[in-house]
């Protein structure tokens, strides 16, 4: 049929022309209606529908993750299975991939679907934490006065300790592999299973300690009371570190299975694994190359801490302990490398005031 057949003939006095035009118009309306009905009744093609394809892929990944976690939870003797840790790490990576998938499709998905998927990812993370706690329980947080252990209060000094720091304050820039060398700075180094205590600006020693170092410690409990200008933490395993206010920065590197309580104007954390941080900070804490780290508000106490916090301009809680920046996660969704420490797992106020065990 030619295009002119759809047009009225130029004869305004012809009734025949009007009736022909009406018939052709009715035929066109019917044809369009049939096309519309066909589109409504035909089955959608998942490959051609981006939302359907995404939801299908998301659902399959979710089901696979849940199935794997259920199998891990049913392991008969988890303590004798050396592969459980790697299996849980793989699950966490799968969740991270799922989160990445959502981020990449955020602008093409309905807002409702985005919110639903993000809620699902949050639930999966909680499921991982729950299963991990069942098959690989965390050590209970206990504050003990180890009176039978040696209490070290002297300053151990070595010539140089390399500490890696970032040279750019922007989370959008790659950190530099420069080395900060702490020359002849006091600190605790190379200790194992000891209680290490230092009181800054106490007694007859009025010399201000600008920098303090904690390096190569295993199974130690560290108590630092009073104010210090900067703190550098390097290579700690299974340690508990309690720190009064720091005027400047805290730099932490290569720590595993540790607990930290500290207040500082700036806190940077690099290569931390399965650590809990109880913080008060003037700026947002920064993590990089870290995973399994959890955060909670500062809850430390010792005689005179209120005065020290006011002196360091850290007297007020800022809420920044929960505003963590992950340098290696520059997406719009929550980083999978850190989380908020559940309230029922927090110890409450921890008092590190020195008590003479002989009294």
């Amino acid at each position: 049929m030619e295009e002119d057949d759809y047009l009225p003939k130029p004869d305004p006095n012809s009734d025949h022309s009007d009736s022909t035009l009406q018939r052709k118009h009715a035929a066109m309306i019917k044809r369009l209606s049939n096309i519309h009905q066909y589109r409504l009744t035909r089955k959608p093609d998942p490959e051609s529908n981006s939302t359907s394809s995404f939801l299908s892929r998301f659902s399959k990944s979710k089901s696979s993750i849940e199935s794997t976690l259920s199998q891990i939870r049913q392991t008969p003797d988890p303590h004798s299975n050396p592969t459980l840790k790697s299996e849980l790490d793989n699950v966490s990576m799968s969740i991270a991939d799922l989160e990445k998938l959502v981020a990449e499709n955020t602008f093409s998905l309905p807002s409702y679907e985005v919110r639903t998927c993000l809620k699902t990812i949050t639930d999966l993370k909680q499921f991982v934490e729950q299963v991990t706690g069942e098959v690989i329980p965390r050590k209970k947080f206990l504050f003990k006065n180890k009176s039978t252990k040696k209490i070290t209060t002297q300053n151990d000094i070595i010539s140089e300790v390399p500490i890696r720091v970032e040279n750019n304050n922007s989370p959008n820039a790659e950190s530099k592999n420069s080395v900060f060398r702490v020359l002849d700075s006091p600190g605790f180094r190379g200790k194992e299973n000891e209680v290490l205590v230092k009181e800054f600006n106490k007694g007859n020693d009025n010399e201000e300690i600008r920098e303090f170092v904690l390096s190569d410690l295993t199974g130690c409990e560290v108590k630092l009371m009073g104010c210090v200008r900067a703190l550098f933490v390097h290579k700690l395993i299974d340690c508990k570190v309690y720190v009064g206010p720091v005027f400047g920065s805290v730099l932490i590197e290569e720590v595993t299975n540790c607990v930290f309580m500290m207040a500082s104007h700036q806190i940077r954390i690099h290569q931390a694994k399965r650590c809990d941080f109880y913080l008060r900070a003037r700026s947002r804490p920064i993590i990089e190359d870290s995973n399994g780290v959890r955060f909670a508000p500062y809850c430390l106490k010792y005689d005179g801490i209120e005065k020290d916090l006011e002196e360091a301009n850290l007297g007020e809680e800022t809420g920044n302990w929960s505003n963590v920046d992950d340098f290696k996660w520059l997406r719009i969704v929550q980083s999978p490398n850190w989380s908020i420490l559940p309230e029922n797992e927090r110890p409450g106020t921890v008092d590190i005031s020195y008590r003479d065990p002989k009294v």
Side-chain angles (χ1 to χ4, degrees):
M1 183 179 294
E2 296 295 331
E3 182 178 354
D4 290 344
D5 292 339
Y6 290 99
L7 301 176
K9 302 300 180 181
D11 185 4
N13 298 319
S14 174
D15 293 337
H16 177 72
S17 296
D18 290 340
S19 61
T20 301
L21 178 61
Q22 291 175 3
R23 288 197 303 272
K24 290 183 177 181
H25 178 73
M28 180 180 294
I29 294 298
K30 183 177 181 181
R31 184 166 63 253
L32 292 174
S33 177
N34 290 337
I35 293 174
H36 179 66
Q37 290 297 323
Y38 169 75
R39 289 174 176 174
L40 291 177
T41 57
R42 71 171 182 171
K43 294 182 179 180
D45 181 6
E47 295 300 323
S48 63
N49 188 316
S50 59
T51 300
S52 298
S53 178
F54 167 83
L55 293 177
S56 176
R57 182 178 174 186
F58 185 92
S59 178
K60 289 178 181 178
S61 297
K62 170 180 174 292
S63 299
S64 177
I65 291 170
E66 290 175 335
S67 176
T68 301
L69 287 173
S70 297
Q71 292 175 6
I72 293 175
R73 173 182 265 176
Q74 296 171 5
T75 302
D77 188 6
H79 298 289
S80 62
N81 190 336
T83 66
L84 281 184
K85 178 62 176 61
S86 62
E87 291 178 13
L88 287 167
D89 288 342
N90 289 336
V91 170
S92 297
M93 291 178 62
S94 296
I95 295 177
D97 290 340
L98 201 58
E99 199 164 27
K100 178 181 177 181
L101 178 66
V102 175
E104 291 174 344
N105 290 271
T106 297
F107 297 105
S108 62
L109 292 172
S111 58
Y112 171 78
E113 299 295 355
V114 174
R115 292 195 300 270
T116 301
C117 291
L118 292 178
K119 176 62 168 59
T120 299
I121 289 172
T122 299
D123 293 341
L124 289 174
K125 289 180 181 178
Q126 293 177 352
F127 194 8
V128 172
E129 287 288 334
Q130 181 181 355
V131 174
T132 301
E134 293 175 2
V135 300
I136 309 178
R138 288 177 179 261
K139 294 182 179 180
K140 290 186 177 180
F141 188 106
L142 296 175
F143 180 78
K144 297 181 180 179
N145 289 324
K146 302 178 182 179
S147 57
T148 59
K149 298 290 183 180
K150 175 185 176 183
I151 298 180
T152 304
T153 58
Q154 70 273 17
N155 295 334
D156 301 309
I157 300 177
I158 64 173
S159 60
E160 292 188 354
V161 174
I163 302 289
R164 180 179 181 274
V165 301
E166 288 78 16
N167 288 335
N168 193 315
N169 290 327
S170 171
N172 294 319
E174 289 292 332
S175 58
K176 306 300 181 181
N177 291 322
S178 61
V179 174
F180 186 104
R181 296 192 178 277
V182 184
L183 301 177
D184 297 328
S185 296
F188 297 129
R189 303 175 172 89
K191 303 296 182 180
E192 186 173 353
N193 298 324
E194 295 188 26
V195 177
L196 308 171
V197 179
K198 176 64 182 177
E199 295 185 70
F200 302 112
N201 301 326
K202 301 291 183 180
N204 297 323
D205 184 8
N206 293 322
E207 182 181 356
E208 181 185 34
I209 297 178
R210 299 187 61 84
E211 299 163 350
F212 200 79
V213 178
L214 304 176
S215 181
D216 296 291
L217 305 179
T218 302
C220 292
E221 187 172 280
V222 182
K223 308 175 189 178
L224 305 181
M225 290 168 280
C227 301
V228 68
R229 290 292 173 182
L231 178 67
F232 306 99
V233 181
H234 185 58
K235 289 188 177 180
L236 270 60
I237 300 175
D238 296 326
C239 292
K240 294 183 177 69
V241 179
Y242 310 100
V243 183
V246 179
F247 283 96
S249 298
V250 175
L251 303 179
I252 300 174
E253 183 180 56
E254 295 184 45
V255 293
T256 304
N257 293 329
C258 293
V259 174
F260 295 91
M261 286 190 184
M262 50 184 55
S264 178
H265 282 250
Q266 185 180 64
I267 300 173
R268 296 189 175 187
I269 302 162
H270 183 251
Q271 291 183 335
K273 313 295 181 187
R274 300 181 301 280
C275 293
D276 291 342
F277 294 89
Y278 298 79
L279 305 181
R280 179 176 296 182
R282 298 294 297 178
S283 59
R284 296 163 68 102
I286 294 171
I287 66 172
E288 183 179 6
D289 294 323
S290 301
N291 61 67
V293 294
R294 307 188 298 179
F295 292 84
Y298 191 60
C299 54
L300 191 65
K301 179 182 178 181
Y302 60 79
D303 295 338
I305 189 173
E306 292 83 3
K307 180 181 178 182
D308 290 340
L309 288 169
E310 289 295 335
E311 182 180 350
N313 196 24
L314 290 165
E316 295 182 0
E317 173 59 66
T318 63
N320 279 329
W321 63 269
S322 62
N323 296 325
V324 181
D325 282 332
D326 187 347
F327 267 21
K328 291 300 180 70
W329 188 263
L330 305 180
R331 307 184 187 281
I332 61 174
V333 293
Q334 162 75 37
S335 166
N337 299 318
W338 69 274
S339 61
I340 301 298
L341 185 68
E343 291 189 15
N344 61 356
E345 296 186 37
R346 303 175 191 175
T349 301
V350 175
D351 191 345
I352 62 170
S353 300
Y354 178 69
R355 304 286 190 271
D356 190 338
K358 296 181 181 180
V359 176

Coordinates of all heavy atoms in Angstrom, one line a residue, residues 91-160:
V91 N 33.5 -15.6 50.5 CA 32.1 -15.1 50.6 C 32.1 -13.5 50.7 O 31.3 -12.9 50.0 CB 31.4 -15.7 51.8 CG1 30.1 -15.0 52.0 CG2 31.2 -17.2 51.6
S92 N 33.0 -13.0 51.5 CA 33.1 -11.5 51.6 C 33.5 -10.9 50.3 O 32.9 -9.8 49.9 CB 34.1 -11.2 52.7 OG 33.8 -11.6 54.0
M93 N 34.3 -11.5 49.5 CA 34.7 -11.0 48.2 C 33.5 -11.1 47.3 O 33.2 -10.2 46.5 CB 35.8 -11.8 47.6 CG 37.2 -11.6 48.4 SD 38.5 -12.6 47.7 CE 38.6 -12.0 46.0
S94 N 32.7 -12.1 47.4 CA 31.5 -12.2 46.6 C 30.5 -11.1 46.9 O 29.8 -10.6 46.0 CB 30.8 -13.6 46.8 OG 31.7 -14.6 46.3
I95 N 30.4 -10.8 48.2 CA 29.5 -9.7 48.6 C 30.0 -8.4 48.0 O 29.2 -7.5 47.6 CB 29.3 -9.7 50.1 CG1 28.6 -11.0 50.6 CG2 28.5 -8.5 50.6 CD1 28.5 -11.1 52.1
A96 N 31.3 -8.2 48.1 CA 31.9 -7.0 47.5 C 31.6 -6.9 46.0 O 31.3 -5.8 45.5 CB 33.4 -7.0 47.8
D97 N 31.7 -8.0 45.3 CA 31.4 -8.0 43.9 C 29.9 -7.7 43.7 O 29.6 -6.9 42.7 CB 31.7 -9.4 43.3 CG 33.2 -9.7 43.2 OD1 34.0 -8.7 43.3 OD2 33.6 -10.9 43.2
L98 N 29.1 -8.2 44.5 CA 27.6 -7.9 44.4 C 27.4 -6.4 44.7 O 26.6 -5.8 43.9 CB 26.9 -8.7 45.4 CG 25.4 -9.0 45.1 CD1 25.2 -9.6 43.8 CD2 24.8 -9.8 46.3
E99 N 28.1 -5.8 45.6 CA 28.0 -4.4 45.9 C 28.5 -3.6 44.7 O 27.9 -2.5 44.4 CB 28.7 -4.1 47.2 CG 28.3 -2.8 47.8 CD 28.8 -2.7 49.2 OE1 29.9 -3.3 49.6 OE2 28.2 -2.0 50.0
K100 N 29.5 -4.0 44.1 CA 30.1 -3.4 42.9 C 29.1 -3.4 41.8 O 28.9 -2.4 41.1 CB 31.4 -4.0 42.5 CG 32.0 -3.4 41.3 CD 33.3 -4.2 40.9 CE 33.9 -3.6 39.6 NZ 35.2 -4.4 39.3
L101 N 28.4 -4.6 41.6 CA 27.4 -4.7 40.6 C 26.3 -3.7 40.8 O 25.8 -3.1 39.8 CB 26.8 -6.1 40.6 CG 25.7 -6.4 39.6 CD1 26.3 -6.4 38.2 CD2 25.1 -7.8 39.9
V102 N 25.8 -3.5 42.0 CA 24.8 -2.5 42.3 C 25.3 -1.1 42.0 O 24.5 -0.3 41.3 CB 24.3 -2.6 43.7 CG1 23.3 -1.5 44.1 CG2 23.7 -4.0 44.0
A103 N 26.5 -0.8 42.4 CA 27.0 0.5 42.1 C 27.1 0.8 40.6 O 26.8 2.0 40.2 CB 28.4 0.7 42.8
E104 N 27.5 -0.1 39.8 CA 27.7 0.1 38.4 C 26.3 0.2 37.7 O 26.3 0.8 36.6 CB 28.4 -1.1 37.8 CG 29.9 -1.2 38.2 CD 30.6 -2.4 37.7 OE1 29.8 -3.4 37.3 OE2 31.8 -2.5 37.7
N105 N 25.2 -0.3 38.3 CA 23.9 -0.2 37.7 C 23.0 0.8 38.4 O 21.8 0.8 38.1 CB 23.3 -1.6 37.6 CG 23.9 -2.5 36.7 OD1 23.6 -2.6 35.5 ND2 24.9 -3.3 37.2
T106 N 23.5 1.6 39.3 CA 22.7 2.5 40.1 C 21.8 3.4 39.2 O 20.6 3.6 39.4 CB 23.5 3.3 41.0 OG1 24.2 2.4 41.9 CG2 22.7 4.3 41.8
F107 N 22.4 4.0 38.2 CA 21.8 5.0 37.4 C 20.8 4.4 36.4 O 20.0 5.2 35.8 CB 22.8 5.9 36.7 CG 23.7 6.6 37.6 CD1 25.0 6.2 37.8 CD2 23.2 7.7 38.3 CE1 25.8 6.9 38.6 CE2 24.0 8.4 39.2 CZ 25.3 8.0 39.3
S108 N 20.8 3.2 36.2 CA 19.9 2.6 35.2 C 18.7 1.8 35.9 O 17.9 1.2 35.2 CB 20.6 1.6 34.2 OG 21.2 0.5 34.9
L109 N 18.8 1.7 37.2 CA 17.8 0.9 38.0 C 16.8 1.9 38.6 O 17.1 3.0 39.0 CB 18.5 0.1 39.0 CG 19.3 -1.1 38.6 CD1 20.1 -1.7 39.8 CD2 18.5 -2.1 37.9
P110 N 15.6 1.4 38.8 CA 14.6 2.2 39.6 C 15.1 2.4 41.1 O 15.8 1.5 41.6 CB 13.3 1.3 39.6 CG 13.5 0.4 38.4 CD 15.0 0.2 38.3
S111 N 14.8 3.5 41.7 CA 15.4 3.8 43.0 C 14.9 2.7 44.0 O 15.7 2.4 44.9 CB 14.9 5.2 43.4 OG 13.5 5.3 43.4
Y112 N 13.7 2.2 43.9 CA 13.2 1.2 44.8 C 14.1 0.0 44.7 O 14.4 -0.6 45.8 CB 11.8 0.8 44.5 CG 11.3 -0.4 45.2 CD1 10.9 -0.3 46.6 CD2 11.2 -1.6 44.6 CE1 10.5 -1.4 47.3 CE2 10.8 -2.7 45.3 CZ 10.4 -2.6 46.6 OH 10.0 -3.7 47.3
E113 N 14.5 -0.5 43.5 CA 15.3 -1.7 43.4 C 16.7 -1.4 44.0 O 17.3 -2.3 44.6 CB 15.5 -2.0 41.9 CG 14.2 -2.4 41.2 CD 13.5 -3.6 41.7 OE1 14.1 -4.3 42.6 OE2 12.4 -3.9 41.3
V114 N 17.2 -0.2 43.8 CA 18.6 0.1 44.4 C 18.5 0.0 45.9 O 19.4 -0.7 46.6 CB 19.0 1.5 44.0 CG1 20.3 1.9 44.7 CG2 19.2 1.6 42.5
R115 N 17.5 0.6 46.5 CA 17.3 0.5 48.0 C 17.2 -0.9 48.5 O 17.7 -1.4 49.5 CB 16.1 1.3 48.4 CG 16.3 2.8 48.2 CD 15.3 3.6 49.0 NE 13.9 3.3 48.6 CZ 13.3 3.9 47.6 NH1 13.9 4.9 47.0 NH2 12.0 3.6 47.3
T116 N 16.4 -1.7 47.7 CA 16.2 -3.1 48.1 C 17.4 -3.9 48.0 O 17.8 -4.7 48.9 CB 15.1 -3.8 47.2 OG1 13.9 -3.0 47.3 CG2 14.8 -5.2 47.6
C117 N 18.2 -3.7 47.0 CA 19.5 -4.5 46.8 C 20.5 -4.1 47.9 O 21.2 -4.9 48.4 CB 20.0 -4.2 45.4 SG 19.1 -4.9 44.1
L118 N 20.6 -2.8 48.2 CA 21.5 -2.4 49.2 C 21.1 -2.9 50.6 O 22.0 -3.3 51.4 CB 21.6 -0.8 49.3 CG 22.2 -0.1 48.1 CD1 22.1 1.4 48.3 CD2 23.6 -0.6 47.9
K119 N 19.8 -3.0 50.9 CA 19.4 -3.6 52.1 C 19.7 -5.1 52.1 O 20.2 -5.6 53.2 CB 17.8 -3.5 52.2 CG 17.2 -4.2 53.5 CD 17.8 -3.6 54.8 CE 16.9 -4.1 55.9 NZ 16.9 -5.6 56.1
T120 N 19.6 -5.8 51.0 CA 20.0 -7.2 50.9 C 21.5 -7.4 51.2 O 21.9 -8.3 51.9 CB 19.6 -7.7 49.6 OG1 18.2 -7.7 49.3 CG2 20.1 -9.2 49.4
I121 N 22.3 -6.5 50.6 CA 23.7 -6.6 50.9 C 24.1 -6.4 52.3 O 24.9 -7.1 52.9 CB 24.5 -5.5 50.0 CG1 24.4 -6.0 48.5 CG2 25.9 -5.4 50.4 CD1 24.9 -4.9 47.5
T122 N 23.4 -5.4 53.0 CA 23.6 -5.2 54.4 C 23.3 -6.5 55.2 O 24.0 -6.9 56.1 CB 22.8 -4.0 54.9 OG1 23.2 -2.8 54.2 CG2 23.0 -3.8 56.4
D123 N 22.2 -7.1 54.9 CA 21.7 -8.3 55.5 C 22.8 -9.4 55.3 O 23.1 -10.2 56.2 CB 20.4 -8.8 55.0 CG 19.3 -7.8 55.4 OD1 19.5 -7.0 56.4 OD2 18.2 -7.8 54.8
L124 N 23.3 -9.5 54.1 CA 24.3 -10.6 53.8 C 25.6 -10.3 54.7 O 26.2 -11.3 55.2 CB 24.7 -10.6 52.3 CG 23.6 -11.1 51.4 CD1 24.0 -10.9 49.9 CD2 23.3 -12.6 51.7
K125 N 26.0 -9.1 54.8 CA 27.2 -8.8 55.6 C 26.9 -9.2 57.1 O 27.8 -9.7 57.7 CB 27.5 -7.2 55.6 CG 28.0 -6.8 54.2 CD 28.3 -5.3 54.3 CE 28.8 -4.8 53.0 NZ 29.0 -3.3 53.0
Q126 N 25.7 -8.9 57.6 CA 25.4 -9.3 58.9 C 25.4 -10.8 59.1 O 25.8 -11.4 60.1 CB 24.1 -8.7 59.3 CG 24.1 -7.2 59.5 CD 22.7 -6.6 59.8 OE1 21.7 -7.3 59.8 NE2 22.7 -5.3 60.1
F127 N 24.9 -11.5 58.0 CA 24.9 -13.0 58.0 C 26.4 -13.5 58.1 O 26.7 -14.5 58.8 CB 24.2 -13.5 56.7 CG 23.9 -14.9 56.8 CD1 24.0 -15.7 57.9 CD2 23.4 -15.5 55.6 CE1 23.7 -17.0 57.9 CE2 23.0 -16.9 55.6 CZ 23.2 -17.6 56.7
V128 N 27.3 -12.9 57.3 CA 28.7 -13.3 57.4 C 29.3 -13.1 58.8 O 29.9 -14.0 59.3 CB 29.5 -12.5 56.3 CG1 31.0 -12.8 56.5 CG2 29.1 -12.8 54.9
E129 N 29.0 -11.9 59.4 CA 29.5 -11.7 60.7 C 28.9 -12.7 61.7 O 29.6 -13.2 62.6 CB 29.0 -10.3 61.2 CG 29.8 -9.1 60.5 CD 31.2 -9.0 61.0 OE1 31.5 -9.4 62.1 OE2 32.1 -8.6 60.3
Q130 N 27.7 -13.1 61.6 CA 27.0 -14.0 62.4 C 27.7 -15.4 62.3 O 28.0 -16.1 63.3 CB 25.5 -14.1 62.2 CG 24.8 -15.1 63.1 CD 23.3 -15.1 62.7 OE1 22.8 -14.4 61.9 NE2 22.6 -16.0 63.4
V131 N 27.8 -15.9 61.1 CA 28.4 -17.2 60.8 C 29.9 -17.2 61.3 O 30.4 -18.2 61.9 CB 28.3 -17.6 59.3 CG1 29.1 -18.9 59.0 CG2 26.9 -17.7 58.9
T132 N 30.6 -16.1 61.0 CA 32.0 -16.0 61.4 C 32.1 -16.1 62.9 O 33.0 -16.8 63.5 CB 32.7 -14.7 61.0 OG1 32.6 -14.6 59.5 CG2 34.1 -14.6 61.4
G133 N 31.2 -15.5 63.6 CA 31.2 -15.5 65.1 C 30.9 -16.9 65.6 O 31.4 -17.3 66.7
E134 N 30.2 -17.7 64.8 CA 29.8 -19.1 65.3 C 30.9 -20.1 65.0 O 31.2 -20.9 65.9 CB 28.6 -19.5 64.5 CG 27.3 -18.8 64.9 CD 26.1 -19.2 64.1 OE1 26.3 -20.1 63.2 OE2 25.0 -18.6 64.3
V135 N 31.6 -20.0 63.9 CA 32.6 -21.0 63.5 C 34.0 -20.5 63.9 O 34.9 -21.3 64.1 CB 32.5 -21.3 62.0 CG1 31.2 -21.9 61.7 CG2 32.8 -20.1 61.1
I136 N 34.2 -19.2 63.9 CA 35.6 -18.6 64.3 C 35.3 -17.6 65.3 O 35.3 -16.4 65.0 CB 36.3 -18.1 63.1 CG1 36.4 -19.1 62.0 CG2 37.8 -17.7 63.5 CD1 37.1 -18.6 60.7
P137 N 35.0 -17.9 66.6 CA 34.6 -16.9 67.6 C 35.8 -15.9 67.8 O 36.9 -16.3 67.9 CB 34.4 -17.8 68.8 CG 34.1 -19.2 68.3 CD 35.0 -19.3 67.1
R138 N 35.4 -14.7 68.0 CA 36.4 -13.7 68.4 C 36.8 -13.9 69.8 O 36.0 -14.4 70.6 CB 35.8 -12.3 68.2 CG 35.7 -11.8 66.8 CD 35.1 -10.4 66.8 NE 34.9 -9.9 65.4 CZ 35.8 -9.1 64.9 NH1 36.8 -8.6 65.6 NH2 35.6 -8.6 63.7
K139 N 38.0 -13.5 70.2 CA 38.4 -13.5 71.6 C 37.5 -12.5 72.4 O 37.3 -11.4 71.9 CB 39.8 -13.2 71.7 CG 40.8 -14.2 71.1 CD 42.2 -13.8 71.3 CE 43.1 -14.9 70.7 NZ 44.6 -14.5 70.9
K140 N 37.1 -12.9 73.5 CA 36.2 -12.0 74.3 C 37.1 -10.8 74.8 O 38.2 -11.0 75.1 CB 35.7 -12.8 75.6 CG 34.6 -13.8 75.2 CD 34.0 -14.4 76.4 CE 32.9 -15.4 76.0 NZ 32.3 -16.0 77.2
F141 N 36.4 -9.7 74.8 CA 37.1 -8.5 75.2 C 37.0 -8.5 76.8 O 36.0 -8.3 77.4 CB 36.3 -7.3 74.7 CG 37.1 -6.0 74.9 CD1 37.7 -5.3 73.9 CD2 37.1 -5.4 76.2 CE1 38.3 -4.1 74.1 CE2 37.8 -4.2 76.4 CZ 38.4 -3.6 75.4
L142 N 38.2 -8.7 77.4 CA 38.3 -8.7 78.8 C 39.4 -7.8 79.3 O 40.5 -7.8 78.7 CB 38.6 -10.1 79.3 CG 37.5 -11.2 79.1 CD1 38.0 -12.6 79.5 CD2 36.2 -10.8 79.8
F143 N 39.1 -6.9 80.2 CA 40.1 -6.0 80.8 C 40.6 -6.7 82.0 O 39.9 -6.9 83.0 CB 39.5 -4.7 81.1 CG 40.5 -3.7 81.6 CD1 41.5 -3.1 80.8 CD2 40.6 -3.4 83.0 CE1 42.4 -2.2 81.3 CE2 41.5 -2.6 83.5 CZ 42.4 -2.0 82.7
K144 N 41.9 -7.0 82.1 CA 42.5 -7.7 83.2 C 43.7 -7.0 83.6 O 44.5 -6.5 82.8 CB 42.8 -9.2 82.8 CG 41.6 -10.0 82.5 CD 42.1 -11.4 82.2 CE 40.9 -12.3 81.8 NZ 41.3 -13.7 81.5
N145 N 43.9 -6.9 84.9 CA 45.1 -6.4 85.5 C 46.1 -7.6 85.6 O 45.9 -8.4 86.5 CB 44.9 -5.8 86.9 CG 44.2 -4.5 86.7 OD1 44.4 -3.7 85.8 ND2 43.3 -4.2 87.7
K146 N 47.0 -7.7 84.8 CA 48.0 -8.9 84.8 C 49.1 -8.6 85.8 O 50.2 -8.2 85.4 CB 48.5 -9.1 83.4 CG 47.4 -9.4 82.4 CD 48.0 -9.6 81.0 CE 46.9 -9.8 79.9 NZ 47.5 -9.9 78.6
S147 N 48.8 -8.7 87.1 CA 49.8 -8.4 88.1 C 51.0 -9.3 88.1 O 52.0 -8.9 88.6 CB 49.1 -8.4 89.5 OG 48.5 -9.7 89.7
T148 N 50.8 -10.5 87.5 CA 52.0 -11.4 87.5 C 52.9 -11.1 86.4 O 54.0 -11.7 86.3 CB 51.4 -12.8 87.4 OG1 50.7 -13.0 86.2 CG2 50.6 -13.2 88.6
K149 N 52.5 -10.2 85.4 CA 53.3 -9.9 84.3 C 54.2 -8.7 84.6 O 53.9 -7.9 85.5 CB 52.5 -9.6 83.1 CG 51.6 -10.7 82.6 CD 52.5 -11.8 82.0 CE 51.6 -12.9 81.4 NZ 52.4 -14.0 80.9
K150 N 55.3 -8.6 83.9 CA 56.2 -7.5 84.1 C 55.6 -6.2 83.6 O 55.0 -6.2 82.5 CB 57.5 -7.8 83.4 CG 58.5 -6.6 83.4 CD 59.7 -6.9 82.5 CE 60.6 -5.7 82.4 NZ 61.7 -5.9 81.5
I151 N 55.6 -5.1 84.4 CA 55.1 -3.8 84.0 C 56.3 -3.0 83.5 O 57.2 -2.7 84.3 CB 54.4 -3.1 85.1 CG1 53.1 -4.0 85.4 CG2 53.9 -1.7 84.7 CD1 52.3 -3.3 86.5
T152 N 56.4 -2.6 82.3 CA 57.5 -1.9 81.7 C 57.1 -0.4 81.6 O 56.2 -0.1 80.9 CB 57.9 -2.5 80.4 OG1 58.2 -3.9 80.5 CG2 59.1 -1.8 79.8
T153 N 57.9 0.5 82.2 CA 57.6 1.9 82.2 C 58.8 2.7 81.5 O 58.6 3.9 81.3 CB 57.3 2.4 83.6 OG1 58.5 2.2 84.4 CG2 56.1 1.8 84.2
Q154 N 59.9 2.0 81.3 CA 61.0 2.8 80.8 C 60.8 3.0 79.3 O 60.0 2.3 78.6 CB 62.3 2.0 81.0 CG 62.5 0.7 80.2 CD 61.8 -0.5 80.9 OE1 61.1 -0.3 81.8 NE2 62.2 -1.7 80.5
N155 N 61.6 3.9 78.7 CA 61.5 4.2 77.3 C 62.5 3.4 76.6 O 63.7 3.6 76.8 CB 61.7 5.7 77.1 CG 60.6 6.6 77.7 OD1 59.5 6.1 77.8 ND2 61.0 7.8 78.0
D156 N 62.1 2.6 75.7 CA 63.0 1.8 74.8 C 63.3 2.6 73.6 O 62.4 3.0 72.9 CB 62.4 0.5 74.4 CG 62.1 -0.4 75.7 OD1 62.9 -0.5 76.5 OD2 60.9 -0.8 75.8
I157 N 64.6 2.9 73.3 CA 64.9 3.7 72.2 C 65.8 3.0 71.2 O 66.7 2.3 71.5 CB 65.7 5.0 72.7 CG1 64.8 5.8 73.7 CG2 66.1 5.9 71.6 CD1 65.5 6.9 74.3
I158 N 65.4 3.1 69.9 CA 66.3 2.6 68.8 C 66.5 3.7 67.8 O 65.8 4.8 67.9 CB 65.7 1.4 68.1 CG1 64.4 1.7 67.5 CG2 65.4 0.2 69.1 CD1 63.8 0.6 66.6
S159 N 67.4 3.5 66.9 CA 67.7 4.6 66.0 C 66.7 4.9 65.0 O 66.3 6.1 64.8 CB 69.0 4.3 65.2 OG 68.9 3.1 64.5
E160 N 66.1 3.9 64.3 CA 65.1 4.2 63.2 C 64.1 3.1 63.2 O 64.4 1.9 63.3 CB 65.8 4.3 61.9 CG 66.7 5.5 61.7 CD 67.2 5.6 60.3 OE1 66.9 4.7 59.5 OE2 67.9 6.6 59.9

